[in-house]
């Protein structure tokens, strides 16, 4: 481990299974997630390096319709592949050339069969370490932990990993369950894409790591690619909204019954505890949105109706 890397939670199995369960319960569906054909996966990886995933879907379908196998792509005229790339606004045309080149080498040097390991895949023309690892993971379940910008953001926020490539690599490797690179890499990348984006949606997306997450606990959601605090979830405005929507479901609630419904890490005497909640509630009362009442030593809150 890199020296400055903070320790991970002791029960790593629970941390892993919470994320995998979250991913398997609901995730964005992309057609390349439904296949283990290395060729189709390689095409999706090369396309998505420059283009947003939602826009890749049509291009990917069209590409595979035109060149359904690695042999058909290898036999294609390179100029046609490049024109396809420009016609679909897929970014640098060089990627089309590399893809064609990779297909040619699979056909000519590997008898039409893709290598299965990251190192083997990296031997293909134009396939860099990231793409090789992605194909090894998603096609052969034989990859290493992916460390891309999304994953770094998650690790930095959740486990307070310093902004250092060696530290990210160490923590990512330690977290990934052995022999499960396909589901794991998909799951952690999905977390970074859906829940832990630049503007995180910790509660909205039901992040399974809220209770252990360093950022969620401290309220500091900066990250290597988010140098200043995003304005959003976790902000006072957001918390006010959550208090109101919770109170809509109840006649009234005491502060300690309201707190955990507003933040999963509410603890009466903690940083996000009674004191903090009282501040938000009293602002809402000043704005005429809620009423509070003190009985039996407790403060109760209800919507002003
Ligand atoms: S709780 Fe929020 S900040 Fe922490 S990992 Fe989940 S989405 Fe990211």
């Amino acid at each position: 481990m890199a020296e400055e890397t903070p320790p991970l939670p002791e029960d790593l199995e629970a941390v892993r299974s919470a994320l995998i369960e979250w991913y398997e319960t609901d995730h964005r569906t992309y057609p390349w997630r439904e296949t283990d054909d290395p060729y189709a996966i390689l095409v999706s990886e090369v396309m998505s390096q420059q283009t947003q995933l939602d826009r890749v879907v049509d291009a990917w379908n069209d590409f595979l319709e035109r060149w359904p196998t690695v042999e058909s792509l290898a036999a294609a005229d390179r100029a046609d592949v490049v024109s396809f790339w420009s016609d679909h606004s897929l970014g640098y045309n060089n990627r089309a050339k590399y893809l064609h080149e990779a297909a040619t080498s699979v056909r000519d040097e590997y008898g039409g069969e893709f290598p299965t390991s990251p190192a083997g895949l990296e031997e293909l023309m134009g396939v860099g370490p990231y793409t090789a690892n992605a194909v090894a993971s998603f096609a052969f379940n034989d990859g290493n932990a992916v460390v891309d910008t999304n994953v770094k953001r998650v690790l930095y926020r959740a486990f307070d990993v310093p902004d250092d490539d060696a530290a990210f690599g160490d923590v990512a490797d330690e977290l990934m369950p052995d022999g499960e690179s396909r589901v794991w890499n998909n799951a952690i990348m999905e977390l970074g894409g859906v829940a832990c984006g630049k503007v995180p949606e910790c509660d909205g997306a039901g992040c399974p790591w809220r209770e252990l997450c360093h950022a969620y606990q401290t309220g500091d959601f900066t990250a290597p690619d988010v140098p200043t605090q995003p304005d959003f979830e976790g902000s006072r405005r957001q918390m006010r909204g959550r208090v109101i929507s919770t109170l809509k479901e109840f006649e009234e609630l005491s502060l300690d019954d309201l707190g955990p419904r507003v933040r999963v890490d509410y603890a009466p005497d903690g940083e996000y505890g009674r004191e903090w909640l009282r501040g938000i509630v009293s602002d809402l009362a000043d704005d005429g949105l809620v009423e509070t009442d003190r009985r039996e030593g407790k403060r109760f809150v209800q919507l002003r109706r």
Side-chain angles (χ1 to χ4, degrees):
M1 298 283 281
E3 206 179 308
E4 69 278 41
T5 306
L8 288 172
E10 240 168 65
D11 191 353
L12 271 189
E13 272 317 307
V15 173
R16 292 169 176 146
S17 52
L19 179 60
I20 292 175
E21 204 177 296
W22 173 85
Y23 172 72
E24 288 185 334
T25 304
D26 183 25
H27 59 80
R28 296 172 296 181
T29 51
Y30 292 113
W32 48 87
R33 281 184 172 165
E34 313 300 321
T35 179
D36 57 8
D37 173 4
Y39 167 65
I41 291 170
L42 175 65
V43 173
S44 77
E45 285 297 328
V46 175
M47 286 185 175
S48 55
Q49 285 166 10
Q50 289 290 317
T51 311
Q52 286 201 331
L53 290 189
D54 289 328
R55 285 187 40 226
V56 170
V57 175
D58 287 343
W60 185 81
N61 281 322
D62 290 353
F63 193 96
L64 291 184
E65 203 176 307
R66 182 138 177 212
W67 298 293
T69 61
V70 70
E71 288 80 10
S72 58
L73 180 61
D77 188 334
R78 184 166 298 178
D80 289 341
V81 185
V82 171
S83 316
F84 179 99
W85 215 257
S86 337
D87 292 348
H88 286 73
S89 312
L90 286 165
Y92 297 125
N93 288 348
N94 269 349
R95 298 196 192 277
K97 292 183 193 159
Y98 287 143
L99 195 51
H100 184 250
E101 193 118 6
T104 312
S105 68
V106 170
R107 180 191 63 189
D108 297 344
E109 293 160 37
Y110 294 85
E113 297 290 329
F114 276 80
T116 61
S117 68
L121 284 154
E122 232 185 293
E123 298 287 311
L124 298 175
M125 258 314 283
V127 175
Y130 179 85
T131 305
N133 189 49
V135 175
S137 298
F138 303 139
F140 303 112
N141 197 21
D142 187 22
N144 303 310
V146 164
V147 187
D148 66 1
T149 323
N150 278 343
V151 172
K152 285 183 188 173
R153 191 166 56 246
V154 170
L155 299 180
Y156 183 93
R157 285 180 177 152
F159 305 111
D160 196 19
V161 177
D163 183 6
D164 169 82
D165 283 348
F168 285 129
D170 284 347
V171 173
D173 283 345
E174 198 185 346
L175 265 176
M176 188 177 89
D178 278 350
E180 297 203 51
S181 57
R182 179 183 287 139
V183 69
W184 181 258
N185 285 329
N186 266 319
I188 196 159
M189 286 160 66
E190 182 78 356
L191 189 73
V194 169
C196 204
K198 288 190 176 183
V199 177
E201 295 267 357
C202 314
D203 294 301
C207 174
W209 285 352
R210 280 171 289 176
E211 283 177 74
L212 60 86
C213 174
H214 181 260
Y216 194 88
Q217 279 160 21
T218 59
D220 175 1
F221 291 92
T222 54
D225 60 337
V226 187
T228 53
Q229 182 76 342
D231 172 27
F232 68 103
E233 177 103 24
S235 70
R236 212 163 166 87
R237 181 168 50 78
Q238 179 89 14
M239 293 299 155
R240 283 166 56 104
R242 215 177 286 162
V243 167
I244 298 290
S245 60
T246 305
L247 289 173
K248 282 185 182 151
E249 296 170 32
F250 296 88
E251 186 69 18
E252 65 171 9
L253 284 172
S254 71
L255 284 182
D256 287 349
D257 287 334
L258 173 62
R261 292 177 164 90
V262 175
R263 282 190 67 114
V264 287
D265 58 345
Y266 177 87
D269 298 319
E271 185 176 355
Y272 294 101
R274 255 178 237 143
E275 203 47 47
W276 168 80
L277 188 56
R278 207 175 281 133
I280 289 180
V281 162
S282 111
D283 285 354
L284 289 168
D286 289 346
D287 293 342
L289 297 169
V290 304
E291 295 176 333
T292 67
D293 177 25
R294 194 168 174 80
R295 297 193 310 272
E296 302 144 16
K298 287 188 188 169
R299 183 157 299 279
F300 289 85
V301 195
Q302 60 174 280
L303 287 183
R304 176 166 285 176
R305 296 177 202 269

